[in-house]
Amino acid sequence: MTRKLSISEARSRLPELAHRVARSPGAVEYIEHRDLDETLALTTKSHLEYLEATVKELRKKVAVPFTLAGSLAAGADDAALEAALDAMREEQAALADTKLGELAG
């Protein structure tokens, strides 16, 4: 069970809190201080290292750009790609006209 304690209560119960956190992997005790904007968290070093390693692995996955399976990358700009596609369309249209002429003729 995770709960928030005041800094005064945490100070007076620190040995108990330390034992509780150490006995429960992944346990966190939150400590509030009236002069701080953030709540403090008491956990084990191994749990903190686990969290840091998890974040590191997730950042690696995010850092790799998404590529759809079967996608390809071109080293040309958009204008060159459009020109190449237009040339292929014209070539295919000419081949289709030739086949149609052979079938009709």
Side-chain angles (χ1 to χ4, degrees):
M1 178 173 101
T2 306
R3 56 200 159 127
K4 294 181 181 178
L5 304 167
S6 70
I7 190 81
S8 298
E9 184 179 1
R11 185 182 305 118
S12 68
R13 298 177 49 206
L14 188 58
E16 175 193 340
L17 294 174
H19 285 293
R20 183 183 310 159
V21 169
R23 282 191 314 260
S24 305
V28 180
E29 290 288 338
Y30 293 100
I31 303 169
E32 294 181 322
H33 190 290
R34 67 174 175 249
D35 295 332
L36 299 176
D37 292 334
E38 293 235 30
T39 300
L40 306 173
L42 176 66
T43 191
T44 61
K45 180 181 175 187
S46 62
H47 185 62
L48 179 61
E49 289 171 345
Y50 163 77
L51 293 173
E52 289 173 338
T54 301
V55 168
K56 185 176 180 180
E57 287 301 313
L58 289 172
R59 284 185 177 150
K60 283 181 188 176
K61 289 180 182 179
V62 172
V64 176
F66 173 77
T67 304
L68 184 64
S71 295
L72 49 107
D77 61 2
D78 288 346
L81 290 173
E82 287 296 327
L85 286 172
D86 288 341
M88 289 171 45
R89 288 183 187 114
E90 289 177 13
E91 182 182 332
Q92 290 302 315
L95 288 172
D97 288 342
T98 302
K99 286 183 182 181
L100 185 60
E102 290 173 358
L103 289 173

